[in-house]
Amino acid sequence: MLDIKLIRDNPEAVRDKLALRGDGYDITEIVELDRQQRDLETQRSQLQARSNEIGKAIGQKIKSGSDPKGEEIQSLKAEGNQVKTQLSDLEPQEKELKAQLETLLLNLPNLPSDSTPIGKDETENVEIRRWGDEHKPQNEKILPHWDIAEKMGILAVDRAVKVAQSRFVALLGAGAALERALISFMLDRQIAAGYTEVIPPFLINSASLQATGQLPKFAEESFKCDSDDLWLTPTAEVPLTNLYRDEILTSDELPIYHCAYTPCFRREAGSYGKDTRGLIRLHQFNKVELVKVVRPATSEDEHQSLVRDAEAILQALKLPYRVIELCTGDLGFGANKCYDLEVWLPASGTYREISSCSNFGDFQARRGNVRFKEKGKKGTQYAHTLNGSGLAIGRTMAAVLENYQLPDNTIRVPEVLQPYLGREVL
RNA sequence: GGAGAGGUGGCCGAGCGGUUUAAGGCGCAGCACUGGAAAUGCUGUUUAGGGGCAACUCUAACGAGGGUUCGAAUCCCUCCCUCUCCGCCA
């Protein structure tokens, strides 16, 4: 959520920044509603003050022996009633304005950072660096990961669809073992890099989803448990960031680094027909996520190191990848700056997103009321939140199945995974 | 799921219709005392919004939301959460 004071004081600057994301964001109504709301608030609090005076005066007069039925008190009561009538007229108006304002603000995306490249859509994203060209497999007859997996008997698609529906899979035998090895490996690495592991709830309430930005705008992307105010987690970003919702942290608690393995559930609405085969786009997938809660002054550096922590996994697995910086037109709703890591998938000859590392600034902290207090300083400040995949497991599995494929339809196990799997070939 | 008890400031805990402007304690910070410390004393110690250049000032908040009243932490209703016992359960 953007700071209403920022919008109030610099509407033009906010407008210009939002325009970099594309059309359709208008703050005119927000500015106007804010003005009306403050007018009403001033009136209301003056009436309230008078009402408090009257209440206090009656109390004192009764205490000092006045007749509660006497004329003096009766006329005060009459005035109290009159004030109350006026208040009961203003209050609902102000409430309504506040609710409208809140809705508009919740639907407004974050402002892109000054350093985010300007562009209209994904075609104008910027490649920052590339790693591991020397590890790209030279074999030209590499099977897509779904073919090799079915040949190996480690992936059951049709049977999983029978159990759930399309875009669900089951892993068997070495497939399940590889998935589990990847999870353990990634967690171990990120813990060694300084992240504290968390196993959070996988069902999440609405307030949490609103804080991180999935609600209200993107309700159709998540699975909801109908009879409860609970949703299946779309990413561990939500439960991890929300651990600190409505808290005032002390400055020595920051920075907070968390990593977590969770399954992730997404409806993938609007992507019918896209990536229908394999492990790329599923309603349920596993992910190891990184989340940071930091001081504002450090968040840009923390963002860079977060990206490096995610990259370290790809490097350890010797999977070729590139780092893309998203342009203003492709930036996610809550991010002010974002890098995607894209892994090389040789069967299709493309790079595919395997991690997305975003800096949210105080956008989520404001929605979720995550604040901290600097020792010796007055008042509180919003923390900055960041997160990134470290990494998406299913897509990593796909990348391993393709980049480590051997001509005899077996898979060489990446060196760093061998201790987890106890073998060199699957 | 059944029965009961609760939810008050950073923490403990009193208050159960009117100087509560939330007692008292603990903790924390500053000052005094001290060679230094402990102990002691004094002072201070929430958050958010509005107005003001500022000093300051008004409003709101006692789990959440409604209601009764001139006035609600206190009474009524709904919901959420915690604890205890019983049942069920990995």
Side-chain angles (χ1 to χ4, degrees), chain A residues 66-100:
Chain A
S66 296
D67 175 13
K69 296 255 156 54
E71 201 168 308
E72 197 179 21
I73 286 179
Q74 287 309 312
S75 90
L76 277 172
K77 280 196 183 185
E79 191 190 346
N81 270 324
Q82 201 190 335
V83 170
K84 205 179 158 186
T85 310
Q86 289 174 280
L87 275 173
S88 65
D89 185 40
L90 286 185
E91 271 172 354
Q93 286 182 46
E94 194 194 344
K95 219 176 208 177
E96 172 61 22
L97 276 179
K98 272 196 162 151
Q100 282 180 29

Side-chain angles (χ1 to χ4, degrees), chain A residues 258-269:
Chain A
H258 282 315
C259 62
Y261 152 71
T262 69
C264 302
F265 301 91
R266 299 185 184 176
R267 302 185 64 88
E268 297 296 344

Side-chain angles (χ1 to χ4, degrees), chain A residues 229-259:
Chain A
D229 177 31
L230 290 169
W231 307 66
L232 276 66
T233 182
T235 158
E237 161 196 352
V238 182
L240 294 190
T241 307
N242 275 283
L243 289 174
Y244 303 99
R245 177 155 51 81
D246 292 324
E247 289 200 25
I248 300 174
L249 303 160
T250 59
S251 55
D252 52 12
E253 287 177 276
L254 299 179
I256 293 167
Y257 298 164
H258 282 315
C259 62

Side-chain angles (χ1 to χ4, degrees), chain A residues 14 109 123 155 199 219 224 245 268 293 315 320 346 350 353-354 414:
Chain A
V14 170
T123 61
L155 176 67
I199 300 182
K224 172 142 210 249
R245 177 155 51 81
E268 297 296 344
V293 181
Q315 291 177 13
T350 55
E353 178 185 337
I354 197 169

